Amino acid sequence: MSDFNSTDFTNPSTFILLGIPGLEEAHVWMSIPFCTIYSIATLGNFTILFIVKTEPSLHAPMYYFLCMLAVTDLVLSTSILPKMLSIFWFNSREINFSACLTQMYFILSFTAMQSGVLVAMALDRYVAICDPLRHSTTLTNSVVAKIGLATVLRGAMLVLPIPVLARSWPYCRTNIISHTYCEHIAVVKLACADISVSSYYSLSVAFFVIGLDVFFIAMSYTQILRAIFSLPTKDARLKTFGTCGSHLCVILSSYIPALFSFLTHRFGHNVPQHLHILMANMYLLVPPMLNPIIYGVRTQQIRDRLLQPFTHKGT
């Protein structure tokens, strides 16, 4: 193995991921909750995909968008968990330079795609509540496919310059990354060059994608709430608002951990490093676990389809 602190390389063939510095002794124990979270996320999201595919009554825009969300969740969690577990279990810390940049690209692009899917789901709820008579003619299968394609292209194209820039920098200090995965800032900070372009571009993309998406979601729910409060009875208002409950819970579970991680990373200079790293992992792993649970519990059609084999046995 090469000298980790070598200063005579300009483009390392490998990086060394330390995992969670300061908590090395607890790596094996920490792998248990992370592995559990990943197992639940994988099982839950594949279950959502299977149920929507096999149940004709769920072939509707809301559930197509839910399938898109399940795919992004699966890719996000799979992008970081296997390598993290190899560090925790087998002390396998090396990662190829190209593999590191590929992991970085998948994490950032699918995070942007996940945010775009949440906007699409807000659009579906807006049309369903504010203009229900035109819902089936507005959100046709072709329109849903175009929205999905636009979401994928936006995330893929906006994020592409980030790993391209990261590859262009010379790395002549060290190849040690104090993280469990190739987090963008943690990687480019190792470059012995002015990385302002990388830093400003990634920050601009984050503000553009997340800021714009949150704005559109807020505008959608402003109109949704106006339509709900105009309904004549309390029961009608509660029932209509209940159709948005799952989506609102998913929005909170996705954006709040990400916002907390971003703020602690940018401004929490007194926050211990291991807490930074834990938060950076949790905001990528917790939403993929929670999203299928939220929709499975709160959506009657999915819940009924999931319980169907057991109710038939009981009958």
Side-chain angles (χ1 to χ4, degrees):
M1 187 178 295
S2 62
D3 181 5
F4 295 166
N5 292 311
S6 174
T7 59
D8 59 356
F9 57 86
T10 56
N11 281 302
S13 59
T14 59
F15 281 118
I16 308 300
L17 295 168
L18 294 184
I20 305 178
L23 298 178
E24 289 86 356
E25 297 297 324
H27 274 178
V28 174
W29 294 106
M30 293 177 68
S31 69
I32 297 174
F34 281 122
C35 191
T36 302
I37 290 171
Y38 181 63
S39 299
I40 295 172
T42 303
L43 178 62
N45 284 294
F46 272 119
T47 300
I48 292 289
L49 292 172
F50 175 77
I51 288 175
V52 173
K53 178 178 173 55
T54 57
E55 183 56 51
S57 65
L58 299 181
H59 293 176
M62 171 183 173
Y63 301 103
Y64 293 148
F65 291 136
L66 180 57
C67 287
M68 295 179 197
L69 184 66
V71 171
T72 60
D73 285 344
L74 285 168
V75 174
L76 272 177
S77 55
T78 304
S79 295
I80 66 169
L81 225 296
K83 183 58 185 177
M84 185 196 303
L85 292 180
S86 73
I87 296 171
F88 288 173
W89 289 346
F90 310 113
N91 203 33
S92 176
R93 300 182 175 186
E94 290 192 4
I95 183 169
N96 181 271
F97 183 55
S98 296
C100 183
L101 297 182
T102 301
Q103 183 189 51
M104 179 196 301
Y105 176 73
F106 269 82
I107 291 170
L108 295 175
S109 61
F110 275 86
T111 298
M113 292 176 203
Q114 181 190 59
S115 183
V117 172
L118 293 178
V119 176
M121 297 173 87
L123 172 65
D124 172 73
R125 291 299 84 205
Y126 165 75
V127 178
I129 292 172
C130 298
D131 198 3
L133 296 179
R134 297 178 58 187
H135 183 263
S136 59
T137 57
T138 301
L139 290 176
T140 60
N141 288 345
S142 63
V143 171
V144 170
K146 289 175 183 176
I147 292 173
L149 179 61
T151 299
V152 170
L153 290 177
R154 185 190 70 158
M157 299 306 294
L158 283 178
V159 169
L160 184 59
I162 294 178
V164 171
L165 285 170
R167 179 180 283 277
S168 69
W169 304 128
Y171 295 86
C172 55
R173 292 172 181 165
T174 179
N175 60 343
I176 299 175
I177 302 174
S178 298
H179 218 296
T180 56
Y181 62 87
C182 291
E183 195 268 335
H184 173 240
I185 296 300
V187 172
V188 296
K189 277 184 176 179
L190 303 181
C192 51
D194 183 4
I195 59 167
S196 299
V197 175
S198 280
S199 182
Y200 290 141
Y201 182 78
S202 62
L203 197 59
S204 299
V205 169
F207 276 117
F208 175 76
V209 171
I210 304 301
L212 204 60
D213 289 353
V214 170
F215 172 77
F216 282 132
I217 291 172
M219 290 297 293
S220 297
Y221 272 95
T222 299
Q223 297 302 315
I224 287 171
L225 290 174
R226 287 179 62 185
I228 288 174
F229 286 122
S230 68
L231 294 174
T233 65
K234 181 180 179 181
D235 288 342
R237 289 194 290 268
L238 290 175
K239 184 177 180 180
T240 305
F241 187 74
T243 64
C244 303
S246 300
H247 184 236
L248 285 172
C249 291
V250 167
I251 290 172
L252 293 175
S253 71
S254 298
Y255 285 129
I256 289 178
L259 179 63
F260 186 78
S261 177
F262 174 80
L263 291 176
T264 55
H265 185 78
R266 293 284 176 177
F267 307 109
H269 302 296
N270 296 323
V271 177
Q273 185 185 30
H274 65 267
L275 186 57
H276 279 299
I277 297 172
L278 284 171
M279 284 303 305
N281 283 285
M282 296 306 286
Y283 94 83
L284 293 176
L285 292 174
V286 171
M289 177 190 70
L290 291 180
N291 293 345
I293 294 174
I294 291 168
Y295 271 96
V297 170
R298 294 189 57 89
T299 307
Q300 184 176 351
Q301 294 93 323
I302 294 177
R303 188 169 65 247
D304 290 346
R305 180 63 179 83
L306 189 61
L307 296 176
Q308 190 175 16
F310 304 101
T311 55
H312 278 317
K313 285 183 179 180
T315 304

